Coordinates of all heavy atoms in Angstrom, one line a residue:
M1399 N 75.3 14.7 -31.5 CA 75.5 14.2 -30.2 C 74.2 14.0 -29.5 O 73.4 15.0 -29.5 CB 76.5 15.1 -29.4 CG 76.7 14.6 -28.0 SD 77.8 15.7 -27.2 CE 78.3 14.6 -25.9
I1400 N 73.9 12.9 -28.9 CA 72.7 12.7 -28.2 C 72.9 13.1 -26.7 O 73.8 12.6 -26.0 CB 72.2 11.2 -28.2 CG1 71.9 10.9 -29.7 CG2 71.1 11.0 -27.3 CD1 71.6 9.5 -29.9
T1401 N 72.1 14.1 -26.3 CA 72.3 14.7 -25.0 C 71.1 14.5 -24.0 O 71.3 14.9 -22.9 CB 72.5 16.3 -25.1 OG1 71.3 16.8 -25.8 CG2 73.7 16.6 -25.9
G1402 N 70.0 13.9 -24.5 CA 68.9 13.7 -23.5 C 67.9 12.7 -24.1 O 68.1 12.2 -25.2
K1403 N 66.8 12.5 -23.3 CA 65.8 11.6 -23.8 C 65.1 12.0 -25.1 O 65.0 11.1 -26.0 CB 64.7 11.5 -22.7 CG 65.2 10.9 -21.4 CD 64.1 10.9 -20.3 CE 63.8 12.4 -20.1 NZ 63.0 12.7 -18.8
T1404 N 64.8 13.2 -25.2 CA 64.1 13.6 -26.4 C 65.0 13.6 -27.6 O 64.6 13.1 -28.7 CB 63.5 15.1 -26.3 OG1 62.6 15.1 -25.1 CG2 62.7 15.5 -27.5
T1405 N 66.2 13.9 -27.5 CA 67.2 13.8 -28.6 C 67.4 12.4 -29.0 O 67.5 12.1 -30.2 CB 68.6 14.4 -28.1 OG1 68.4 15.7 -27.6 CG2 69.6 14.5 -29.3
L1406 N 67.4 11.5 -28.0 CA 67.6 10.0 -28.4 C 66.3 9.6 -29.1 O 66.4 8.9 -30.2 CB 67.7 9.2 -27.1 CG 67.7 7.7 -27.3 CD1 68.9 7.3 -28.1 CD2 67.8 7.0 -25.9
L1407 N 65.1 10.0 -28.7 CA 63.9 9.6 -29.4 C 63.9 10.2 -30.7 O 63.4 9.6 -31.7 CB 62.7 10.0 -28.5 CG 62.5 9.2 -27.3 CD1 61.3 9.8 -26.5 CD2 62.2 7.8 -27.6
D1408 N 64.3 11.5 -30.9 CA 64.4 12.1 -32.2 C 65.2 11.3 -33.2 O 64.9 11.1 -34.4 CB 65.0 13.5 -32.1 CG 64.0 14.5 -31.7 OD1 62.7 14.3 -31.8 OD2 64.4 15.7 -31.3
A1409 N 66.4 10.8 -32.7 CA 67.2 9.9 -33.6 C 66.5 8.7 -34.0 O 66.6 8.3 -35.2 CB 68.5 9.6 -32.8
I1410 N 65.8 8.0 -33.1 CA 65.1 6.8 -33.4 C 63.9 7.1 -34.3 O 63.7 6.3 -35.3 CB 64.6 6.1 -32.1 CG1 65.8 5.7 -31.3 CG2 63.7 5.0 -32.4 CD1 65.4 5.2 -29.9
R1411 N 63.1 8.1 -34.0 CA 61.9 8.5 -34.8 C 62.2 9.2 -36.1 O 61.3 9.4 -36.9 CB 61.0 9.3 -34.0 CG 60.4 8.7 -32.7 CD 59.5 9.6 -32.0 NE 60.3 10.8 -31.5 CZ 60.0 11.5 -30.4 NH1 59.0 11.1 -29.7 NH2 60.7 12.5 -30.1
K1412 N 63.5 9.7 -36.2 CA 63.9 10.6 -37.4 C 63.0 11.8 -37.4 O 62.4 12.2 -38.4 CB 63.8 9.8 -38.7 CG 64.7 8.6 -38.7 CD 64.6 7.9 -40.0 CE 65.6 6.8 -40.2 NZ 65.6 5.7 -39.3
T1413 N 62.9 12.5 -36.2 CA 62.2 13.7 -36.0 C 63.1 14.8 -35.4 O 64.3 14.5 -35.2 CB 61.0 13.5 -35.0 OG1 61.4 13.0 -33.8 CG2 59.9 12.5 -35.6
N1414 N 62.6 15.9 -35.1 CA 63.4 17.0 -34.5 C 62.6 17.8 -33.4 O 62.5 19.0 -33.5 CB 63.9 17.9 -35.6 CG 65.1 18.7 -35.2 OD1 65.7 18.4 -34.2 ND2 65.5 19.6 -36.0
V1415 N 61.9 17.0 -32.5 CA 61.1 17.6 -31.5 C 62.0 18.5 -30.5 O 61.6 19.5 -30.1 CB 60.3 16.5 -30.7 CG1 59.6 17.1 -29.5 CG2 59.4 15.8 -31.7
A1416 N 63.1 18.0 -30.2 CA 64.0 18.7 -29.2 C 64.3 20.1 -29.5 O 64.4 21.0 -28.7 CB 65.3 17.9 -28.9
E1417 N 64.5 20.3 -30.9 CA 64.8 21.7 -31.3 C 63.7 22.7 -31.0 O 64.0 23.9 -30.8 CB 65.1 21.6 -32.8 CG 65.6 23.0 -33.4 CD 66.0 22.8 -34.8 OE1 67.1 22.2 -35.1 OE2 65.2 23.3 -35.7
R1418 N 62.5 22.2 -31.0 CA 61.3 23.1 -30.8 C 61.0 23.3 -29.3 O 60.1 24.1 -28.9 CB 60.1 22.6 -31.5 CG 60.3 22.5 -33.0 CD 59.0 22.1 -33.7 NE 58.4 20.9 -33.3 CZ 58.6 19.7 -33.8 NH1 59.4 19.6 -34.8 NH2 58.0 18.6 -33.4
E1419 N 61.7 22.5 -28.4 CA 61.4 22.7 -27.0 C 62.0 23.9 -26.4 O 63.2 24.2 -26.7 CB 61.8 21.4 -26.2 CG 61.1 20.1 -26.6 CD 59.7 20.0 -26.1 OE1 59.3 20.9 -25.4 OE2 59.0 19.1 -26.5
H1420 N 61.3 24.6 -25.5 CA 61.8 25.7 -24.8 C 63.1 25.4 -24.0 O 63.0 24.5 -23.1 CB 60.8 26.4 -23.9 CG 61.2 27.5 -23.1 ND1 61.5 28.7 -23.7 CD2 61.5 27.7 -21.8 CE1 62.0 29.6 -22.8 NE2 61.9 29.0 -21.7
G1421 N 64.2 26.0 -24.3 CA 65.4 25.7 -23.6 C 66.0 24.3 -23.8 O 66.8 23.9 -23.0
G1422 N 65.4 23.6 -24.8 CA 65.9 22.3 -25.0 C 65.3 21.3 -24.0 O 65.8 20.1 -23.8
I1423 N 64.4 21.7 -23.2 CA 63.8 20.9 -22.1 C 62.3 20.5 -22.5 O 61.5 21.4 -22.7 CB 63.9 21.6 -20.8 CG1 65.3 21.9 -20.3 CG2 63.2 20.7 -19.7 CD1 65.5 22.8 -19.1
T1424 N 62.0 19.3 -22.5 CA 60.7 18.8 -22.8 C 59.7 19.4 -21.7 O 59.9 19.4 -20.5 CB 60.5 17.3 -22.7 OG1 61.4 16.8 -23.7 CG2 59.2 16.8 -23.0
Q1425 N 58.6 20.1 -22.2 CA 57.7 20.8 -21.3 C 56.5 20.0 -20.9 O 55.7 20.4 -20.1 CB 57.3 22.1 -22.0 CG 58.5 23.0 -22.3 CD 59.2 23.5 -21.1 OE1 58.6 23.9 -20.1 NE2 60.5 23.3 -21.0
K1426 N 56.2 18.9 -21.7 CA 55.0 18.1 -21.4 C 55.3 16.7 -21.6 O 56.3 16.3 -22.3 CB 53.8 18.6 -22.3 CG 54.2 18.5 -23.8 CD 53.0 19.1 -24.6 CE 53.5 18.9 -26.0 NZ 52.6 19.0 -27.0
I1427 N 54.4 15.8 -21.2 CA 54.5 14.4 -21.5 C 53.9 14.1 -22.8 O 52.9 14.6 -23.2 CB 53.8 13.6 -20.4 CG1 54.4 13.8 -19.0 CG2 53.7 12.1 -20.7 CD1 53.7 13.3 -17.8
G1428 N 54.7 13.4 -23.6 CA 54.2 13.0 -24.9 C 54.5 11.5 -25.2 O 55.3 10.9 -24.6
A1429 N 53.8 11.0 -26.2 CA 54.0 9.6 -26.6 C 54.0 9.5 -28.1 O 53.3 10.3 -28.8 CB 52.8 8.8 -26.0
S1430 N 54.7 8.6 -28.6 CA 54.7 8.3 -30.0 C 55.0 6.8 -30.2 O 55.4 6.1 -29.3 CB 55.8 9.1 -30.7 OG 57.1 8.8 -30.2
E1431 N 54.7 6.3 -31.4 CA 54.8 4.9 -31.7 C 55.4 4.7 -33.0 O 55.2 5.4 -34.0 CB 53.4 4.3 -31.7 CG 53.3 2.8 -31.9 CD 51.9 2.3 -31.8 OE1 51.2 2.4 -32.8 OE2 51.5 1.9 -30.7
I1432 N 56.4 3.7 -33.1 CA 57.0 3.4 -34.4 C 56.7 1.8 -34.6 O 56.4 1.1 -33.7 CB 58.5 3.7 -34.4 CG1 59.3 2.8 -33.4 CG2 58.8 5.2 -34.3 CD1 60.8 2.9 -33.6
E1433 N 56.9 1.4 -35.9 CA 56.8 0.0 -36.2 C 58.0 -0.4 -36.8 O 58.6 0.2 -37.6 CB 55.6 -0.2 -37.2 CG 55.2 -1.6 -37.4 CD 54.0 -1.7 -38.2 OE1 52.9 -1.5 -37.7 OE2 54.1 -2.0 -39.5
I1434 N 58.5 -1.6 -36.3 CA 59.8 -2.2 -36.8 C 59.6 -3.6 -37.2 O 58.6 -4.2 -36.8 CB 60.9 -2.1 -35.8 CG1 60.5 -3.0 -34.5 CG2 61.2 -0.7 -35.4 CD1 61.7 -3.3 -33.6
D1435 N 60.5 -4.2 -38.0 CA 60.5 -5.6 -38.3 C 61.5 -6.2 -37.3 O 62.6 -5.8 -37.2 CB 61.0 -5.8 -39.7 CG 59.9 -5.5 -40.8 OD1 58.7 -5.9 -40.5 OD2 60.2 -4.8 -41.7
H1436 N 61.0 -7.2 -36.6 CA 61.9 -7.9 -35.7 C 61.7 -9.5 -35.9 O 60.6 -10.0 -35.7 CB 61.6 -7.6 -34.2 CG 62.4 -8.3 -33.2 ND1 63.7 -8.1 -33.1 CD2 62.0 -9.3 -32.4 CE1 64.2 -8.9 -32.1 NE2 63.1 -9.6 -31.6
E1437 N 62.7 -10.1 -36.3 CA 62.7 -11.6 -36.6 C 61.5 -11.9 -37.5 O 60.8 -12.9 -37.3 CB 62.6 -12.3 -35.2 CG 63.8 -12.1 -34.4 CD 63.8 -12.9 -33.1 OE1 62.7 -13.5 -32.7 OE2 64.8 -12.9 -32.4
G1438 N 61.4 -11.1 -38.5 CA 60.4 -11.4 -39.6 C 58.9 -11.0 -39.2 O 58.0 -11.2 -39.9
K1439 N 58.8 -10.4 -38.0 CA 57.4 -9.9 -37.6 C 57.4 -8.4 -37.4 O 58.4 -7.9 -36.9 CB 57.0 -10.6 -36.3 CG 56.9 -12.1 -36.4 CD 56.4 -12.7 -35.0 CE 56.3 -14.2 -35.1 NZ 55.9 -14.7 -33.8
K1440 N 56.3 -7.8 -37.7 CA 56.1 -6.4 -37.5 C 55.8 -6.2 -36.0 O 54.9 -6.9 -35.5 CB 55.0 -5.8 -38.3 CG 55.4 -5.8 -39.8 CD 54.7 -4.6 -40.5 CE 55.1 -4.6 -41.9 NZ 56.2 -3.8 -42.2
R1441 N 56.5 -5.3 -35.4 CA 56.3 -5.0 -33.9 C 56.2 -3.5 -33.8 O 56.8 -2.7 -34.5 CB 57.5 -5.4 -33.1 CG 57.9 -6.9 -33.3 CD 57.1 -7.8 -32.5 NE 57.6 -9.1 -32.6 CZ 57.1 -10.1 -32.0 NH1 56.0 -10.0 -31.2 NH2 57.6 -11.3 -32.1
K1442 N 55.4 -3.1 -32.8 CA 55.2 -1.7 -32.5 C 55.9 -1.4 -31.2 O 55.9 -2.2 -30.3 CB 53.7 -1.3 -32.3 CG 53.0 -1.4 -33.7 CD 51.6 -0.9 -33.5 CE 50.9 -0.9 -34.8 NZ 49.5 -0.5 -34.7
I1443 N 56.6 -0.2 -31.1 CA 57.3 0.2 -29.9 C 56.6 1.6 -29.6 O 56.6 2.5 -30.5 CB 58.8 0.4 -30.1 CG1 59.4 -1.0 -30.5 CG2 59.4 0.9 -28.8 CD1 60.9 -0.8 -30.9
T1444 N 56.2 1.8 -28.4 CA 55.6 3.0 -27.9 C 56.7 3.7 -27.0 O 57.2 3.1 -26.1 CB 54.3 2.8 -27.2 OG1 53.4 2.1 -28.0 CG2 53.7 4.2 -26.7
F1445 N 56.9 5.0 -27.3 CA 57.9 5.8 -26.5 C 57.1 6.8 -25.7 O 56.2 7.5 -26.3 CB 58.9 6.5 -27.4 CG 59.7 5.6 -28.2 CD1 59.4 5.3 -29.5 CD2 60.9 5.0 -27.6 CE1 60.2 4.5 -30.3 CE2 61.6 4.1 -28.4 CZ 61.4 3.9 -29.7
I1446 N 57.4 7.0 -24.5 CA 56.8 8.0 -23.6 C 58.0 9.0 -23.2 O 58.9 8.5 -22.6 CB 56.1 7.4 -22.4 CG1 55.0 6.5 -22.9 CG2 55.5 8.6 -21.5 CD1 54.3 5.8 -21.8
D1447 N 57.8 10.2 -23.6 CA 58.8 11.2 -23.3 C 58.3 12.1 -22.2 O 57.2 12.7 -22.2 CB 59.1 12.1 -24.5 CG 60.3 12.9 -24.4 OD1 61.1 12.7 -23.4 OD2 60.6 13.7 -25.3
T1448 N 59.1 12.2 -21.1 CA 58.7 13.0 -19.9 C 59.5 14.3 -19.9 O 60.5 14.4 -20.5 CB 58.9 12.2 -18.6 OG1 60.3 11.8 -18.6 CG2 58.0 11.0 -18.6
P1449 N 59.0 15.3 -19.2 CA 59.7 16.6 -19.0 C 61.1 16.4 -18.5 O 61.3 15.5 -17.7 CB 58.8 17.4 -18.1 CG 57.5 16.8 -18.2 CD 57.7 15.3 -18.5
G1450 N 62.0 17.3 -18.9 CA 63.3 17.3 -18.3 C 63.4 17.7 -16.9 O 62.4 18.1 -16.3
H1451 N 64.5 17.6 -16.3 CA 64.6 17.8 -14.8 C 64.2 19.1 -14.3 O 63.5 19.2 -13.3 CB 66.1 17.6 -14.4 CG 66.6 16.2 -14.7 ND1 66.0 15.1 -14.2 CD2 67.7 15.8 -15.4 CE1 66.7 14.0 -14.6 NE2 67.7 14.4 -15.4
E1452 N 64.4 20.2 -15.1 CA 64.0 21.5 -14.6 C 62.5 21.6 -14.6 O 61.9 22.1 -13.7 CB 64.6 22.6 -15.5 CG 66.1 22.7 -15.4 CD 66.6 23.2 -14.0 OE1 65.9 24.0 -13.4 OE2 67.6 22.7 -13.5
A1453 N 61.9 21.2 -15.7 CA 60.4 21.3 -15.8 C 59.8 20.4 -14.8 O 58.8 20.7 -14.1 CB 59.9 21.0 -17.2
F1454 N 60.4 19.2 -14.6 CA 59.9 18.2 -13.7 C 59.9 18.8 -12.2 O 59.0 18.6 -11.4 CB 60.7 16.9 -13.7 CG 59.9 15.7 -13.8 CD1 58.9 15.5 -14.7 CD2 60.2 14.6 -13.0 CE1 58.1 14.4 -14.7 CE2 59.5 13.5 -13.0 CZ 58.4 13.3 -13.9
F1455 N 61.0 19.4 -11.9 CA 61.2 20.0 -10.6 C 60.1 21.1 -10.3 O 59.5 21.1 -9.3 CB 62.5 20.7 -10.5 CG 62.8 21.3 -9.1 CD1 63.0 20.6 -8.0 CD2 62.8 22.7 -9.0 CE1 63.3 21.2 -6.8 CE2 63.0 23.3 -7.8 CZ 63.2 22.5 -6.7
Q1456 N 59.8 21.9 -11.3 CA 58.7 22.9 -11.2 C 57.4 22.3 -11.0 O 56.5 22.7 -10.3 CB 58.8 23.9 -12.4 CG 60.0 24.7 -12.4 CD 60.1 25.5 -13.7 OE1 59.2 25.6 -14.5 NE2 61.2 26.2 -13.9
M1457 N 57.1 21.2 -11.8 CA 55.8 20.5 -11.7 C 55.6 19.9 -10.3 O 54.6 20.0 -9.7 CB 55.7 19.4 -12.7 CG 55.5 20.0 -14.1 SD 55.6 18.8 -15.5 CE 55.0 17.3 -14.8
R1458 N 56.7 19.4 -9.7 CA 56.6 18.8 -8.4 C 56.2 19.8 -7.3 O 55.5 19.5 -6.4 CB 57.9 18.2 -7.9 CG 58.2 16.8 -8.5 CD 59.4 16.2 -7.9 NE 59.8 15.1 -8.6 CZ 61.0 15.1 -9.3 NH1 61.9 16.0 -9.1 NH2 61.3 14.0 -10.0
G1459 N 56.7 21.0 -7.5 CA 56.4 22.1 -6.6 C 54.9 22.6 -6.7 O 54.4 23.1 -5.7
R1460 N 54.2 22.2 -7.7 CA 52.8 22.7 -7.9 C 51.8 21.6 -7.7 O 50.7 21.8 -7.7 CB 52.6 23.2 -9.3 CG 53.4 24.5 -9.6 CD 53.0 25.1 -10.9 NE 53.0 24.2 -12.0 CZ 53.9 24.1 -13.0 NH1 55.0 24.9 -12.9 NH2 53.9 23.2 -14.0
G1461 N 52.3 20.4 -7.6 CA 51.3 19.2 -7.5 C 51.9 18.0 -6.8 O 52.8 18.1 -6.1
P1462 N 51.2 16.9 -7.1 CA 51.7 15.7 -6.4 C 53.0 15.3 -6.8 O 53.6 15.7 -7.9 CB 50.6 14.6 -6.8 CG 50.0 15.2 -8.1 CD 50.1 16.7 -8.0
R1463 N 53.6 14.4 -6.1 CA 55.0 13.9 -6.4 C 54.9 13.1 -7.7 O 54.0 12.2 -7.8 CB 55.6 13.1 -5.3 CG 55.7 13.9 -4.0 CD 57.0 13.5 -3.4 NE 57.2 14.2 -2.1 CZ 57.7 15.4 -2.0 NH1 58.1 16.0 -3.1 NH2 57.9 15.9 -0.8
L1464 N 55.8 13.3 -8.6 CA 55.9 12.6 -9.9 C 57.2 11.9 -10.0 O 58.2 12.3 -9.4 CB 55.7 13.6 -11.1 CG 54.4 14.4 -11.1 CD1 54.4 15.4 -12.2 CD2 53.2 13.4 -11.3
Q1465 N 57.2 10.9 -10.8 CA 58.4 10.1 -11.0 C 58.5 9.6 -12.5 O 57.5 9.2 -13.0 CB 58.4 9.0 -10.0 CG 59.6 8.0 -10.1 CD 59.6 6.9 -9.1 OE1 59.0 7.1 -8.0 NE2 60.1 5.8 -9.4
T1466 N 59.7 9.6 -13.0 CA 59.9 9.0 -14.4 C 60.1 7.5 -14.2 O 60.8 7.0 -13.4 CB 61.2 9.6 -15.0 OG1 61.1 11.0 -15.1 CG2 61.5 9.0 -16.4
S1467 N 59.3 6.8 -14.9 CA 59.3 5.4 -14.9 C 59.6 4.8 -16.3 O 59.2 5.3 -17.3 CB 58.0 4.8 -14.5 OG 57.7 5.2 -13.2
V1468 N 60.4 3.7 -16.4 CA 60.7 3.1 -17.6 C 60.3 1.6 -17.5 O 60.6 1.0 -16.5 CB 62.3 3.2 -17.9 CG1 62.6 2.4 -19.2 CG2 62.7 4.6 -18.0
F1469 N 59.6 1.2 -18.5 CA 59.2 -0.3 -18.5 C 59.9 -1.0 -19.6 O 60.0 -0.5 -20.6 CB 57.6 -0.4 -18.6 CG 56.9 0.3 -17.5 CD1 56.5 1.6 -17.6 CD2 56.7 -0.4 -16.4 CE1 55.8 2.2 -16.6 CE2 56.0 0.2 -15.3 CZ 55.5 1.5 -15.5

């Protein structure tokens, strides 16, 4: 079952990053890239994984306001 952003990315990347995160919550911002074939052309997709809500809330309390953005 996919329960969060990192778990979704793990399914796409065929990795298991979420299992190693403290409390199942991403603790830092990370990026990864995969390559796929789309309509006969190789394409790269870059994923940016941001901290979960709990870690994000704590970061806001220590610094500037942050926001999750998706493009």
Side-chain angles (χ1 to χ4, degrees):
M1399 177 179 200
I1400 296 175
T1401 58
K1403 297 176 294 197
T1404 305
T1405 307
L1406 174 61
L1407 290 175
D1408 277 345
I1410 294 168
R1411 297 178 299 209
K1412 296 178 176 63
T1413 59
N1414 205 7
V1415 173
E1417 187 175 286
R1418 297 187 305 267
E1419 296 288 353
H1420 177 68
I1423 299 171
T1424 300
Q1425 301 296 311
K1426 60 184 176 160
I1427 296 172
S1430 61
E1431 187 175 79
I1432 65 168
E1433 191 172 280
I1434 63 164
D1435 286 316
H1436 177 70
E1437 297 180 351
K1439 295 182 181 179
K1440 291 210 180 270
R1441 306 280 187 177
K1442 290 183 179 180
I1443 301 174
T1444 302
F1445 298 100
I1446 299 173
D1447 194 10
T1448 58
H1451 298 303
E1452 293 296 322
F1454 226 50
F1455 179 75
Q1456 291 173 7
M1457 286 171 32
R1458 280 191 196 115
R1460 295 191 308 258
R1463 298 222 182 272
L1464 300 172
Q1465 178 178 332
T1466 300
S1467 299
V1468 177
F1469 298 94

